[in-house]
Amino acid sequence: MAKSIEEQVEDWCKNQLENYFTKTESINSEIDKALKTAPSKKGGSGQNLPDIKCFVSVGFRNIPVMIECKGTKGDFAKTDENGLISNTNKKGETDYTAITKYAVNGAIHYAKSILDFTETYKETIAIGVNGYKQDNDLQLEIGVYYLSKDNLAIPKKVGDFSDLSFLKKKNLKEFFEKIDELKLTLEEIESRKLALEDEIETKLKRLNQTMHDDLSITVKSRVMLIVGLIMAGLGVEDVSEGLKVEELKGELGPKSNDAQKIINKVEDFLRMKNLPEEKREAIMHELSNVFKNEDLYKPKNGESKLRKVYVIVHKDILPYLTSDLPNIDFTGRLFNVLNDWVDVPDGAENDVVLTPRYVTELMAKLTEVNMNSYVWDYATGSAGFLISAMHLMIADAKNKIKSPEELRKTIAKIKAEKLLGIEKLPEIYILAVLNMILMGDGSSNIINGDSTQFDGKYKQGKMKDKEFPANVFLLNPPYSAPGKGLNFVEKALSKMKSGKAAVLIQENAGSTQGDGYTKKILNKNTLIASIHMSTDLFIGKSSVQTAIYVFDVGIPHDTEKLVKFIDFSNDGYARQNRKKSSQSVNLKDADNAKERYAELVNLVVRGKGKDDKNLNYYKDCYVEDYITSEGNDWTYSQHKKIDIKPTENDFKKIIKEYMAWQISNLIRNEDIYPWTNKSPEQSNCILSKKERDCIQMKNATFKAITIGSLFDIHPTKAYKATNKDLFKEKGKVPVVANSSVDNGIGGWTNLKATEKGNKVVFSDTTTSDSIFYQPNDFVGYPHVQGLYPYCNKWDENSLLYFITCFRKSASGLFNYGNKFTRKNALKMKVFLPEKNKEDIDFSFMETFISAQKKLIIQKLSCWLEQQKINNEIYIIEKEIPQDTLSMIAEKKHH
């Protein structure tokens, strides 16, 4: 292994710089503290020590620069499957191995630590430099990335550089102009949102697991506990510092115990947020009941449970909340993580389910939310609908208002006066308050109460007792309520004069289970659209079939007006429910989800367009039809148009499926040949004596051989492409995926094959059932391992023999928890025939498999011949007169 020249690379960098700070020098107290507070590059609590630090300044703009050096070929940067620098793995966890090993990844880690743990610095520069010797010449690789809070801390490559002269004072103006041109695309923003949600969810799950396994904190206490610790830790700028971990000393005094210190900080936080007195008192009452539990604040071995939890909250959660979060329903994620452990009362399992962000955004768009909207939600949960609406309203204001002062006032009014939510459950109500505070206040109109008793008026602040002029209603109600929750809809819409409404509800509320509310709703409102949602929308949370119903408010339904019915069951997302997996695992864009959601909004808001131009994905899933005034025919299935006349392709499909089943069943049948009543042994006459001896294993000897002595095993080559770009409907080249069916073929592509055929493969993420022989050239896939033989004697038959032995050896040993790694496979032994007590008997394997193929082919041949005879008899009976047939039969008898 080549010796690292890292010191030489460091010296080269320093010689390029006009001013710098070394690894152990202080750059300033705030940055020093941030680097010390942030998790170290190995994931522990040690110091972060960038190789070189400096500042670059133009005017009053001062940006810290973190430089990390490496000195070995291959240690420059690690990228994800899309070719982007990433310091998180596929599970959404921090990839400390990448941060430690690679120059660019390490530099980005240090730069991001400054954004997360300082107040002053909103932007940073990360520079990774790697060098190595080639033919005695110094080869250098330089990666320069810009990170800012405005860019959601996404590392943006600034350009390609061959040295560090761009950091010299005379070149800084041009360099600053370059970084100011770096704007995020909509795709990057969405990608960052998903990444943030994955990171947050992963850390919340880890925290929840600790509270459950190590601290035995009851499920009921956890929501209040974490919300209180977050409020205590945030503090209020220029007024009250957030709680420091070292302040929790495990004291037992009534005013000095850990619980009381936290409660004091929470009270400061709520007072400084100008919450109405009655709301602040209600929140403090709920939180105090939890924190004053002696088991939480009484120290054990000098440390209370509160302190142990707060150490994790302070390190893993608060950095996200002190950053500028995009439209992320943070506390909704918190609640869903904690709710995985909750035993919900009988009959309420479908009630306490919070709506995913991508659905709340969809529904806000369906109602055409804008800066002039007044939005309310009668079962607000963690305020996900209100947050999505608020972001659309603010975006619309920014697009339309050019005066900074007018824009500031408009945004303040949106947050303070144009959003109202009602939540009955105290622990969820507190989540909603926190969520809105995190999004920039807006909490003054979150009401803890019963929607059925709500009179439609503001309850706090300067607008108290005035009517809330709602013109947008968004709701995912508790489905155990009357009419599956339509009672809330009927009441809310009756208090609105005009506007739009979108309701996500159990679908049969719009047919047989509406309890009369549907008819009442139609008396004053128009049903615009009925959207049949995916059956697994709430997978793992709720098992009901849902629909979104969209209304024009204040206009009685005209039965002569067409309603849009859309089957949105294929929304492009693939979902699964793995409790410890991140969102990127449980929710995948498998089929153009973003485009499908955009098309749905377009269809509802604008219609199918001239010549159906707005119909692409849903051409066969879109119906316009009429409904009655009775309110019992709102569902898509009641209006779906079905062409009952079958086509030739319909017949072909059925016959192909049936015959494939027949042939498969025939091959699997080990007992008899149904048409001859002969056993397989009686049919061995088609085999030569050598083949018969072989399948009876006469005179054969075997030995156990280690797979690693026969094959090298390493990952197959895969394209860095999304499934959308990789798989094609009319592809010609097989893609071998992590599958245990269809010979491991996950789909087809038109890209060039990455692997040659005549190869054994298996997936290191599944079981032994994923071992297959690939006869043709193919494209590899992540986690698919290939077996590359050390000798060239292996052919189709010998490899089929081998994988039978390989599967037998691996059977039952591996699963999703115990991985089927190539390291394990290399050590495994297989039972193979031997020749002369030394070599593998390839001839035996060839003959054995060839004989087995002959027997199966004979089965198929006999079956096909029988089908031919039956078919000929059928044709004869149809075409020859019955009296002629009788005469033939009589002559045959004689």
Side-chain angles (χ1 to χ4, degrees), residues 109-135:
H109 168 74
Y110 298 133
K112 189 171 182 300
S113 297
I114 294 171
L115 295 183
D116 288 343
F117 292 92
T118 66
E119 291 293 329
T120 303
Y121 300 100
K122 309 295 184 187
E123 53 186 346
T124 54
I125 304 292
I127 301 176
V129 183
N130 183 49
Y132 56 91
K133 286 291 184 70
Q134 186 168 304
D135 299 330

PDB file of all heavy atoms in Angstrom, residues 109-135:
ATOM      1  N   HIS A 109     -18.286  17.981   6.336  1.00  0.00           N
ATOM      2  CA  HIS A 109     -18.719  17.731   7.716  1.00  0.00           C
ATOM      3  C   HIS A 109     -18.362  18.913   8.616  1.00  0.00           C
ATOM      4  O   HIS A 109     -19.199  19.386   9.398  1.00  0.00           O
ATOM      5  CB  HIS A 109     -18.053  16.452   8.234  1.00  0.00           C
ATOM      6  CG  HIS A 109     -18.200  16.244   9.714  1.00  0.00           C
ATOM      7  ND1 HIS A 109     -19.394  15.852  10.297  1.00  0.00           N
ATOM      8  CD2 HIS A 109     -17.311  16.396  10.733  1.00  0.00           C
ATOM      9  CE1 HIS A 109     -19.232  15.761  11.605  1.00  0.00           C
ATOM     10  NE2 HIS A 109     -17.987  16.081  11.897  1.00  0.00           N
ATOM     11  N   TYR A 110     -17.136  19.411   8.499  1.00  0.00           N
ATOM     12  CA  TYR A 110     -16.722  20.553   9.325  1.00  0.00           C
ATOM     13  C   TYR A 110     -17.509  21.812   8.972  1.00  0.00           C
ATOM     14  O   TYR A 110     -17.940  22.560   9.855  1.00  0.00           O
ATOM     15  CB  TYR A 110     -15.218  20.824   9.136  1.00  0.00           C
ATOM     16  CG  TYR A 110     -14.323  19.681   9.567  1.00  0.00           C
ATOM     17  CD1 TYR A 110     -13.291  19.246   8.742  1.00  0.00           C
ATOM     18  CD2 TYR A 110     -14.503  19.043  10.783  1.00  0.00           C
ATOM     19  CE1 TYR A 110     -12.458  18.198   9.118  1.00  0.00           C
ATOM     20  CE2 TYR A 110     -13.671  17.998  11.172  1.00  0.00           C
ATOM     21  CZ  TYR A 110     -12.659  17.576  10.327  1.00  0.00           C
ATOM     22  OH  TYR A 110     -11.843  16.540  10.716  1.00  0.00           O
ATOM     23  N   ALA A 111     -17.708  22.045   7.667  1.00  0.00           N
ATOM     24  CA  ALA A 111     -18.440  23.239   7.231  1.00  0.00           C
ATOM     25  C   ALA A 111     -19.879  23.212   7.729  1.00  0.00           C
ATOM     26  O   ALA A 111     -20.420  24.224   8.187  1.00  0.00           O
ATOM     27  CB  ALA A 111     -18.396  23.334   5.708  1.00  0.00           C
ATOM     28  N   LYS A 112     -20.504  22.039   7.647  1.00  0.00           N
ATOM     29  CA  LYS A 112     -21.899  21.923   8.099  1.00  0.00           C
ATOM     30  C   LYS A 112     -21.995  22.085   9.613  1.00  0.00           C
ATOM     31  O   LYS A 112     -22.992  22.614  10.133  1.00  0.00           O
ATOM     32  CB  LYS A 112     -22.478  20.581   7.669  1.00  0.00           C
ATOM     33  CG  LYS A 112     -23.985  20.464   7.908  1.00  0.00           C
ATOM     34  CD  LYS A 112     -24.555  19.209   7.277  1.00  0.00           C
ATOM     35  CE  LYS A 112     -26.067  19.146   7.493  1.00  0.00           C
ATOM     36  NZ  LYS A 112     -26.459  19.116   8.893  1.00  0.00           N
ATOM     37  N   SER A 113     -20.986  21.651  10.349  1.00  0.00           N
ATOM     38  CA  SER A 113     -20.981  21.811  11.812  1.00  0.00           C
ATOM     39  C   SER A 113     -21.066  23.288  12.189  1.00  0.00           C
ATOM     40  O   SER A 113     -21.712  23.655  13.177  1.00  0.00           O
ATOM     41  CB  SER A 113     -19.714  21.190  12.407  1.00  0.00           C
ATOM     42  OG  SER A 113     -19.677  19.801  12.170  1.00  0.00           O
ATOM     43  N   ILE A 114     -20.429  24.145  11.395  1.00  0.00           N
ATOM     44  CA  ILE A 114     -20.466  25.587  11.663  1.00  0.00           C
ATOM     45  C   ILE A 114     -21.874  26.129  11.424  1.00  0.00           C
ATOM     46  O   ILE A 114     -22.390  26.939  12.202  1.00  0.00           O
ATOM     47  CB  ILE A 114     -19.416  26.318  10.797  1.00  0.00           C
ATOM     48  CG1 ILE A 114     -18.013  25.890  11.223  1.00  0.00           C
ATOM     49  CG2 ILE A 114     -19.574  27.829  10.913  1.00  0.00           C
ATOM     50  CD1 ILE A 114     -16.912  26.381  10.310  1.00  0.00           C
ATOM     51  N   LEU A 115     -22.529  25.674  10.343  1.00  0.00           N
ATOM     52  CA  LEU A 115     -23.907  26.115  10.095  1.00  0.00           C
ATOM     53  C   LEU A 115     -24.840  25.660  11.200  1.00  0.00           C
ATOM     54  O   LEU A 115     -25.747  26.381  11.607  1.00  0.00           O
ATOM     55  CB  LEU A 115     -24.402  25.573   8.753  1.00  0.00           C
ATOM     56  CG  LEU A 115     -23.711  26.061   7.481  1.00  0.00           C
ATOM     57  CD1 LEU A 115     -24.385  25.461   6.251  1.00  0.00           C
ATOM     58  CD2 LEU A 115     -23.731  27.586   7.382  1.00  0.00           C
ATOM     59  N   ASP A 116     -24.638  24.437  11.694  1.00  0.00           N
ATOM     60  CA  ASP A 116     -25.548  23.855  12.684  1.00  0.00           C
ATOM     61  C   ASP A 116     -25.344  24.406  14.088  1.00  0.00           C
ATOM     62  O   ASP A 116     -26.295  24.481  14.867  1.00  0.00           O
ATOM     63  CB  ASP A 116     -25.376  22.327  12.727  1.00  0.00           C
ATOM     64  CG  ASP A 116     -25.931  21.633  11.491  1.00  0.00           C
ATOM     65  OD1 ASP A 116     -26.712  22.284  10.772  1.00  0.00           O
ATOM     66  OD2 ASP A 116     -25.587  20.461  11.259  1.00  0.00           O
ATOM     67  N   PHE A 117     -24.121  24.792  14.411  1.00  0.00           N
ATOM     68  CA  PHE A 117     -23.826  25.096  15.809  1.00  0.00           C
ATOM     69  C   PHE A 117     -23.314  26.516  16.043  1.00  0.00           C
ATOM     70  O   PHE A 117     -22.731  26.802  17.086  1.00  0.00           O
ATOM     71  CB  PHE A 117     -22.813  24.075  16.363  1.00  0.00           C
ATOM     72  CG  PHE A 117     -23.387  22.688  16.494  1.00  0.00           C
ATOM     73  CD1 PHE A 117     -23.260  21.767  15.466  1.00  0.00           C
ATOM     74  CD2 PHE A 117     -24.083  22.305  17.634  1.00  0.00           C
ATOM     75  CE1 PHE A 117     -23.799  20.490  15.583  1.00  0.00           C
ATOM     76  CE2 PHE A 117     -24.626  21.038  17.754  1.00  0.00           C
ATOM     77  CZ  PHE A 117     -24.480  20.122  16.724  1.00  0.00           C
ATOM     78  N   THR A 118     -23.498  27.428  15.080  1.00  0.00           N
ATOM     79  CA  THR A 118     -23.203  28.839  15.327  1.00  0.00           C
ATOM     80  C   THR A 118     -24.418  29.668  14.957  1.00  0.00           C
ATOM     81  O   THR A 118     -25.249  29.254  14.156  1.00  0.00           O
ATOM     82  CB  THR A 118     -21.992  29.348  14.505  1.00  0.00           C
ATOM     83  OG1 THR A 118     -22.327  29.325  13.112  1.00  0.00           O
ATOM     84  CG2 THR A 118     -20.747  28.509  14.747  1.00  0.00           C
ATOM     85  N   GLU A 119     -24.526  30.844  15.523  1.00  0.00           N
ATOM     86  CA  GLU A 119     -25.599  31.786  15.177  1.00  0.00           C
ATOM     87  C   GLU A 119     -25.132  32.782  14.120  1.00  0.00           C
ATOM     88  O   GLU A 119     -25.891  33.227  13.279  1.00  0.00           O
ATOM     89  CB  GLU A 119     -26.037  32.559  16.434  1.00  0.00           C
ATOM     90  CG  GLU A 119     -26.763  31.716  17.470  1.00  0.00           C
ATOM     91  CD  GLU A 119     -28.111  31.230  16.969  1.00  0.00           C
ATOM     92  OE1 GLU A 119     -28.744  31.943  16.157  1.00  0.00           O
ATOM     93  OE2 GLU A 119     -28.514  30.126  17.349  1.00  0.00           O
ATOM     94  N   THR A 120     -23.845  33.123  14.149  1.00  0.00           N
ATOM     95  CA  THR A 120     -23.319  34.188  13.296  1.00  0.00           C
ATOM     96  C   THR A 120     -23.203  33.781  11.839  1.00  0.00           C
ATOM     97  O   THR A 120     -23.504  34.567  10.930  1.00  0.00           O
ATOM     98  CB  THR A 120     -21.917  34.620  13.803  1.00  0.00           C
ATOM     99  OG1 THR A 120     -22.040  35.015  15.162  1.00  0.00           O
ATOM    100  CG2 THR A 120     -21.358  35.761  12.974  1.00  0.00           C
ATOM    101  N   TYR A 121     -22.789  32.547  11.593  1.00  0.00           N
ATOM    102  CA  TYR A 121     -22.396  32.158  10.236  1.00  0.00           C
ATOM    103  C   TYR A 121     -23.510  31.391   9.533  1.00  0.00           C
ATOM    104  O   TYR A 121     -23.950  30.335   9.984  1.00  0.00           O
ATOM    105  CB  TYR A 121     -21.098  31.338  10.277  1.00  0.00           C
ATOM    106  CG  TYR A 121     -19.970  32.137  10.901  1.00  0.00           C
ATOM    107  CD1 TYR A 121     -19.604  31.931  12.229  1.00  0.00           C
ATOM    108  CD2 TYR A 121     -19.326  33.128  10.166  1.00  0.00           C
ATOM    109  CE1 TYR A 121     -18.595  32.685  12.813  1.00  0.00           C
ATOM    110  CE2 TYR A 121     -18.315  33.894  10.741  1.00  0.00           C
ATOM    111  CZ  TYR A 121     -17.962  33.674  12.054  1.00  0.00           C
ATOM    112  OH  TYR A 121     -16.970  34.436  12.634  1.00  0.00           O
ATOM    113  N   LYS A 122     -23.979  31.954   8.414  1.00  0.00           N
ATOM    114  CA  LYS A 122     -25.066  31.353   7.627  1.00  0.00           C
ATOM    115  C   LYS A 122     -24.552  30.695   6.346  1.00  0.00           C
ATOM    116  O   LYS A 122     -25.324  30.116   5.596  1.00  0.00           O
ATOM    117  CB  LYS A 122     -26.084  32.432   7.223  1.00  0.00           C
ATOM    118  CG  LYS A 122     -26.585  33.301   8.385  1.00  0.00           C
ATOM    119  CD  LYS A 122     -27.372  32.516   9.411  1.00  0.00           C
ATOM    120  CE  LYS A 122     -27.938  33.423  10.499  1.00  0.00           C
ATOM    121  NZ  LYS A 122     -28.573  32.664  11.595  1.00  0.00           N
ATOM    122  N   GLU A 123     -23.231  30.817   6.085  1.00  0.00           N
ATOM    123  CA  GLU A 123     -22.652  30.225   4.880  1.00  0.00           C
ATOM    124  C   GLU A 123     -21.207  29.826   5.162  1.00  0.00           C
ATOM    125  O   GLU A 123     -20.524  30.436   5.979  1.00  0.00           O
ATOM    126  CB  GLU A 123     -22.729  31.194   3.687  1.00  0.00           C
ATOM    127  CG  GLU A 123     -22.152  32.560   3.976  1.00  0.00           C
ATOM    128  CD  GLU A 123     -22.358  33.565   2.831  1.00  0.00           C
ATOM    129  OE1 GLU A 123     -22.719  33.130   1.718  1.00  0.00           O
ATOM    130  OE2 GLU A 123     -22.139  34.757   3.046  1.00  0.00           O
ATOM    131  N   THR A 124     -20.751  28.769   4.489  1.00  0.00           N
ATOM    132  CA  THR A 124     -19.389  28.266   4.680  1.00  0.00           C
ATOM    133  C   THR A 124     -18.863  27.722   3.354  1.00  0.00           C
ATOM    134  O   THR A 124     -19.622  27.415   2.434  1.00  0.00           O
ATOM    135  CB  THR A 124     -19.340  27.129   5.725  1.00  0.00           C
ATOM    136  OG1 THR A 124     -20.282  26.119   5.344  1.00  0.00           O
ATOM    137  CG2 THR A 124     -19.670  27.615   7.110  1.00  0.00           C
ATOM    138  N   ILE A 125     -17.531  27.574   3.288  1.00  0.00           N
ATOM    139  CA  ILE A 125     -16.864  26.950   2.146  1.00  0.00           C
ATOM    140  C   ILE A 125     -16.165  25.687   2.648  1.00  0.00           C
ATOM    141  O   ILE A 125     -15.481  25.714   3.675  1.00  0.00           O
ATOM    142  CB  ILE A 125     -15.820  27.881   1.501  1.00  0.00           C
ATOM    143  CG1 ILE A 125     -16.455  29.218   1.079  1.00  0.00           C
ATOM    144  CG2 ILE A 125     -15.134  27.199   0.324  1.00  0.00           C
ATOM    145  CD1 ILE A 125     -17.441  29.111  -0.046  1.00  0.00           C
ATOM    146  N   ALA A 126     -16.352  24.576   1.936  1.00  0.00           N
ATOM    147  CA  ALA A 126     -15.655  23.322   2.255  1.00  0.00           C
ATOM    148  C   ALA A 126     -14.725  22.973   1.102  1.00  0.00           C
ATOM    149  O   ALA A 126     -15.137  22.966  -0.059  1.00  0.00           O
ATOM    150  CB  ALA A 126     -16.661  22.197   2.466  1.00  0.00           C
ATOM    151  N   ILE A 127     -13.461  22.710   1.416  1.00  0.00           N
ATOM    152  CA  ILE A 127     -12.478  22.363   0.385  1.00  0.00           C
ATOM    153  C   ILE A 127     -11.790  21.060   0.781  1.00  0.00           C
ATOM    154  O   ILE A 127     -11.205  20.958   1.857  1.00  0.00           O
ATOM    155  CB  ILE A 127     -11.426  23.476   0.201  1.00  0.00           C
ATOM    156  CG1 ILE A 127     -12.108  24.802  -0.188  1.00  0.00           C
ATOM    157  CG2 ILE A 127     -10.397  23.071  -0.849  1.00  0.00           C
ATOM    158  CD1 ILE A 127     -11.150  25.971  -0.285  1.00  0.00           C
ATOM    159  N   GLY A 128     -11.898  20.067  -0.089  1.00  0.00           N
ATOM    160  CA  GLY A 128     -11.178  18.815   0.104  1.00  0.00           C
ATOM    161  C   GLY A 128     -10.044  18.729  -0.887  1.00  0.00           C
ATOM    162  O   GLY A 128     -10.237  18.958  -2.086  1.00  0.00           O
ATOM    163  N   VAL A 129      -8.824  18.435  -0.400  1.00  0.00           N
ATOM    164  CA  VAL A 129      -7.651  18.322  -1.274  1.00  0.00           C
ATOM    165  C   VAL A 129      -6.999  16.959  -1.036  1.00  0.00           C
ATOM    166  O   VAL A 129      -6.671  16.621   0.105  1.00  0.00           O
ATOM    167  CB  VAL A 129      -6.629  19.446  -1.007  1.00  0.00           C
ATOM    168  CG1 VAL A 129      -5.458  19.332  -1.987  1.00  0.00           C
ATOM    169  CG2 VAL A 129      -7.280  20.819  -1.115  1.00  0.00           C
ATOM    170  N   ASN A 130      -6.843  16.191  -2.100  1.00  0.00           N
ATOM    171  CA  ASN A 130      -6.172  14.899  -2.000  1.00  0.00           C
ATOM    172  C   ASN A 130      -4.993  14.874  -2.967  1.00  0.00           C
ATOM    173  O   ASN A 130      -5.089  15.372  -4.092  1.00  0.00           O
ATOM    174  CB  ASN A 130      -7.137  13.756  -2.338  1.00  0.00           C
ATOM    175  CG  ASN A 130      -6.488  12.399  -2.162  1.00  0.00           C
ATOM    176  OD1 ASN A 130      -5.872  12.142  -1.130  1.00  0.00           O
ATOM    177  ND2 ASN A 130      -6.610  11.530  -3.154  1.00  0.00           N
ATOM    178  N   GLY A 131      -3.880  14.313  -2.519  1.00  0.00           N
ATOM    179  CA  GLY A 131      -2.702  14.235  -3.369  1.00  0.00           C
ATOM    180  C   GLY A 131      -2.066  12.864  -3.318  1.00  0.00           C
ATOM    181  O   GLY A 131      -2.191  12.144  -2.326  1.00  0.00           O
ATOM    182  N   TYR A 132      -1.394  12.501  -4.392  1.00  0.00           N
ATOM    183  CA  TYR A 132      -0.675  11.221  -4.437  1.00  0.00           C
ATOM    184  C   TYR A 132       0.421  11.327  -5.490  1.00  0.00           C
ATOM    185  O   TYR A 132       0.403  12.207  -6.361  1.00  0.00           O
ATOM    186  CB  TYR A 132      -1.624  10.066  -4.748  1.00  0.00           C
ATOM    187  CG  TYR A 132      -2.411  10.215  -6.026  1.00  0.00           C
ATOM    188  CD1 TYR A 132      -1.929   9.723  -7.240  1.00  0.00           C
ATOM    189  CD2 TYR A 132      -3.644  10.883  -6.033  1.00  0.00           C
ATOM    190  CE1 TYR A 132      -2.649   9.871  -8.418  1.00  0.00           C
ATOM    191  CE2 TYR A 132      -4.366  11.036  -7.211  1.00  0.00           C
ATOM    192  CZ  TYR A 132      -3.863  10.531  -8.394  1.00  0.00           C
ATOM    193  OH  TYR A 132      -4.566  10.686  -9.558  1.00  0.00           O
ATOM    194  N   LYS A 133       1.385  10.435  -5.375  1.00  0.00           N
ATOM    195  CA  LYS A 133       2.516  10.452  -6.323  1.00  0.00           C
ATOM    196  C   LYS A 133       2.244   9.492  -7.478  1.00  0.00           C
ATOM    197  O   LYS A 133       1.797   8.365  -7.281  1.00  0.00           O
ATOM    198  CB  LYS A 133       3.797  10.030  -5.598  1.00  0.00           C
ATOM    199  CG  LYS A 133       4.366  11.082  -4.663  1.00  0.00           C
ATOM    200  CD  LYS A 133       4.917  12.260  -5.456  1.00  0.00           C
ATOM    201  CE  LYS A 133       5.597  13.293  -4.560  1.00  0.00           C
ATOM    202  NZ  LYS A 133       6.856  12.815  -3.984  1.00  0.00           N
ATOM    203  N   GLN A 134       2.519   9.983  -8.699  1.00  0.00           N
ATOM    204  CA  GLN A 134       2.408   9.142  -9.889  1.00  0.00           C
ATOM    205  C   GLN A 134       3.600   9.447 -10.769  1.00  0.00           C
ATOM    206  O   GLN A 134       3.773  10.580 -11.237  1.00  0.00           O
ATOM    207  CB  GLN A 134       1.095   9.427 -10.631  1.00  0.00           C
ATOM    208  CG  GLN A 134       0.848   8.474 -11.794  1.00  0.00           C
ATOM    209  CD  GLN A 134      -0.578   8.607 -12.314  1.00  0.00           C
ATOM    210  OE1 GLN A 134      -1.539   8.463 -11.573  1.00  0.00           O
ATOM    211  NE2 GLN A 134      -0.695   8.892 -13.610  1.00  0.00           N
ATOM    212  N   ASP A 135       4.458   8.443 -10.976  1.00  0.00           N
ATOM    213  CA  ASP A 135       5.719   8.643 -11.714  1.00  0.00           C
ATOM    214  C   ASP A 135       6.525   9.784 -11.089  1.00  0.00           C
ATOM    215  O   ASP A 135       7.084  10.645 -11.782  1.00  0.00           O
ATOM    216  CB  ASP A 135       5.444   8.939 -13.192  1.00  0.00           C
ATOM    217  CG  ASP A 135       4.712   7.797 -13.886  1.00  0.00           C
ATOM    218  OD1 ASP A 135       4.920   6.646 -13.466  1.00  0.00           O
ATOM    219  OD2 ASP A 135       3.923   8.077 -14.801  1.00  0.00           O
TER     220      ASP A 135
END
